[in-house]
């Protein structure tokens, strides 16, 4: 068996356990550790070896996967790991971009390589085609860890040489984008239902409207990269005018719509900056001069 398939999994919560079970089922040699030993011991039925200390787990592995609650907990656990020489740490703990580089430096002080990774999905998706793992860090370390990470299914992508790259993507897509969409969906559904529109009528149209990004993603990505915001379809000024009409409809109903109000204000800010004839994607440009 390749040394790259000697993997330690530190943290046996729902996600850590799913990672360990999947790796073991697909031929990796898995050692698990958890602060609560019973959680690690339960994984022996899935072909994993449970050990009592972090140092023992790390000593058996070439790749060290960490899936804990916070970066602060990771720091504490690494303090018990001993040397990390010859090993690559893949930290899958949820964190912010500004935590990734200090963590890389901490691992380097103990002699190890470091990759920061973001899991986009739930434990039940691990091993499936829809599982997504975003990884950032140096290319040589990615090449070392690529083989076992590929066993997790779906798509494991190296997205940046900078250690914080994966966390930046998570904050942008899962945070600023996805979570705002969820809250905006609830806001819209609440208004529609209050006005007597059945959820069965609302839902298909909401999904169709949301799919616009999927259909236009390549064009939008290229325009953002080129900062080409010309359009012959709908301008930012057109969006703002329509948005103010919709805002009146929602406010007249007596319903609070803070997310939509914020969107209207953002459209207005762009128009005030003289970008009214641009496509709406102009709002993604850094132009805070007005």
């Amino acid at each position: 068996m390749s040394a790259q398939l000697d993997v330690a999994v530190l943290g046996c919560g729902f996600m850590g356990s799913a990672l360990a079970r999947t790796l073991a089922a697909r031929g990796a040699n898995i050692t698990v550790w958890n602060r609560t030993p019973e959680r690690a011991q339960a994984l022996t039925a899935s072909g994993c070896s449970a050990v009592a200390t972090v140092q023992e787990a790390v000593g058996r592995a070439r790749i060290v996967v960490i899936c804990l609650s916070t970066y602060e907990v990771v720091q504490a656990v690494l303090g018990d790991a001993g040397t990390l020489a010859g090993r690559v740490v893949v930290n899958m703990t949820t964190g912010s971009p500004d935590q990734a580089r200090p963590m890389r430096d901490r691992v380097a002080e103990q002699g190890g390589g470091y990759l920061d990774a973001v899991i986009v999905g739930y434990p039940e998706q691990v091993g499936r085609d829809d599982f997504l793992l975003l990884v950032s860090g140096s290319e040589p370390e990615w090449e070392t860890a690529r083989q076992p990470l590929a066993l997790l299914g779906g798509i494991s992508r190296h997205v940046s040489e900078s250690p914080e790259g994966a966390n930046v993507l998570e904050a942008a897509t899962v945070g600023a984008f996805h979570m705002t969409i969820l809250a905006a969906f609830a806001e819209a559904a609440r208004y529609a239902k209050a006005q007597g529109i059945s959820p069965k009528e609302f839902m298909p149209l909401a999904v169709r409207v949301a799919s616009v990004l999927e259909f236009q993603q390549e064009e939008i990505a290229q325009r953002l990269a080129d900062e080409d915001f010309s359009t012959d379809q709908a301008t930012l000024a057109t969006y703002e005018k329509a948005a103010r009409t919709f805002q009146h409809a929602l406010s007249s109903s007596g319903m609070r719509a803070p997310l939509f109000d914020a969107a209207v204000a953002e459209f207005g800010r762009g128009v005030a900056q003289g970008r009214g004839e641009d496509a709406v994607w102009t709002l993604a440009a850094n132009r805070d001069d007005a």
Side-chain angles (χ1 to χ4, degrees), residues 183-197 202 255-258:
F185 174 83
E187 196 171 270
R190 186 168 67 246
Y191 166 71
K193 186 175 181 180
Q195 299 303 305
I197 301 299
F202 169 77
M255 195 197 84
R256 289 182 64 256

Side-chain angles (χ1 to χ4, degrees), residues 33-275:
W33 171 89
N34 195 70
R35 282 191 185 276
T36 307
E38 293 78 11
R39 284 185 174 270
Q41 194 63 38
L43 290 167
T44 60
S46 299
C48 303
S49 298
V51 296
T53 69
V54 174
Q55 189 167 11
E56 185 177 358
V58 170
R60 294 186 179 190
R62 176 75 189 280
I63 308 298
V64 180
V65 172
I66 304 180
C67 192
L68 296 168
S69 56
T70 68
Y71 273 56
E72 289 75 19
V73 173
V74 174
Q75 291 270 14
V77 168
L78 287 176
D80 298 328
T83 181
L84 295 171
R87 295 164 180 84
V88 174
V89 171
V90 185
N91 184 17
M92 300 187 187
T93 302
T94 300
S96 62
D98 60 1
Q99 293 176 299
R101 196 170 291 267
M103 188 65 73
R104 179 202 61 182
D105 295 342
R106 167 64 185 275
V107 170
E109 289 173 3
Q110 293 177 241
Y114 182 78
L115 294 170
D116 212 271
V118 166
I119 296 169
V120 184
Y122 295 97
E124 67 180 6
Q125 292 175 278
V126 178
R128 294 186 347 201
D129 289 343
D130 57 349
F131 180 72
L132 176 60
L133 186 69
L134 306 177
V135 183
S136 55
S138 78
E139 186 73 32
E141 269 121 25
W142 160 247
E143 288 301 328
T144 298
R146 181 202 289 262
Q147 185 181 4
L149 295 182
L151 297 177
L152 295 173
I155 303 172
S156 293
R157 294 177 53 197
H158 183 236
V159 297
S160 175
E161 286 271 342
S162 300
E164 62 269 19
N167 278 329
V168 169
L169 270 175
E170 182 180 38
T173 57
V174 179
F177 183 59
H178 179 64
M179 290 184 179
T180 302
I181 285 176
L182 291 177
F185 174 83
E187 196 171 270
R190 186 168 67 246
Y191 166 71
K193 186 175 181 180
Q195 299 303 305
I197 301 299
S198 163
K200 290 184 178 180
E201 293 294 333
F202 169 77
M203 193 68 190
L205 183 57
V207 171
R208 182 177 179 83
V209 170
S211 69
V212 169
L213 272 178
E214 181 180 359
F215 294 141
Q216 297 181 334
Q217 60 180 316
E218 290 187 11
E219 177 187 354
I220 293 167
Q222 190 61 53
R223 283 181 174 271
L224 290 176
D226 297 341
E227 293 202 356
D228 174 11
F229 303 118
S230 60
T231 183
D232 59 1
Q233 299 299 310
T235 64
L236 178 61
T238 300
Y239 272 93
E240 189 214 12
K241 184 177 180 180
R244 294 199 182 280
T245 299
F246 301 145
Q247 185 181 42
H248 176 73
L250 269 67
S251 62
S252 295
S253 75
M255 195 197 84
R256 289 182 64 256
L259 284 171
F260 187 62
D261 289 343
V264 176
E266 185 69 1
F267 292 153
R269 185 180 70 89
V271 171
Q273 290 176 329
R275 294 188 272 166

